[in-house]
Amino acid sequence: QVRLVESGGGLVQPGGSLRLSCAASGSISVYALNWYRQAPGKQRELIASITNRGNTNYVDSLKGRFTISRDDAKNSGYLQMNNLGAEDTAVYYCNVRFLQLNYWGQGTQVTVSS
């Protein structure tokens, strides 16, 4: 069992930046790490992924603004979010996955508003 705890969310003005963190209770070095988000009234969507080898992938609409990274020595993952807009308001979830193993954090709220 791997427990994931997200942090770094909050209220930010349009155009601002946030860095989300995902702290794992144990080693996640073999896991792919993913960030999802769920906006009000919408389905949860995958927005960024990083493999255990460091290969990254993003939903097209966020390329250039969001950067996913990981530090396996710290059992952590990160999502740097820049130039935030109201459309980025959502609950952001960290997920790690390896074969049949699939773990989720509780989510962190990001609100973009002036």
Side-chain angles (χ1 to χ4, degrees):
Q1 179 82 16
V2 175
R3 295 183 179 178
L4 303 174
V5 178
E6 300 96 335
S7 61
L11 175 64
V12 61
Q13 292 187 342
S17 298
L18 283 175
R19 186 188 192 218
L20 304 183
S21 298
C22 173
S25 61
S27 175
I28 55 170
S29 60
V30 300
Y31 291 80
L33 188 149
N34 309 297
W35 285 96
Y36 288 73
R37 71 182 182 185
Q38 187 166 17
K42 295 187 177 181
Q43 290 188 332
R44 191 175 300 188
E45 62 170 341
L46 175 64
I47 59 172
S49 299
I50 184 167
T51 69
N52 62 337
R53 296 184 178 183
N55 297 316
T56 59
N57 196 26
Y58 301 90
V59 65
D60 285 345
S61 60
L62 297 180
K63 287 181 179 178
R65 291 200 299 125
F66 287 19
T67 303
I68 189 172
S69 61
R70 64 191 293 162
D71 186 344
D72 290 335
K74 296 182 179 180
N75 297 333
S76 294
Y78 308 96
L79 185 68
Q80 177 68 41
M81 307 186 295
N82 298 326
N83 194 22
L84 288 163
E87 68 277 11
D88 298 313
T89 294
V91 179
Y92 285 72
Y93 297 90
C94 178
N95 163 262
V96 294
R97 191 169 299 157
F98 176 68
L99 299 178
Q100 76 279 14
L101 302 175
N102 188 24
Y103 302 110
W104 292 87
Q106 81 291 348
T108 185
Q109 175 70 46
V110 172
T111 302
V112 184
S113 176
S114 56

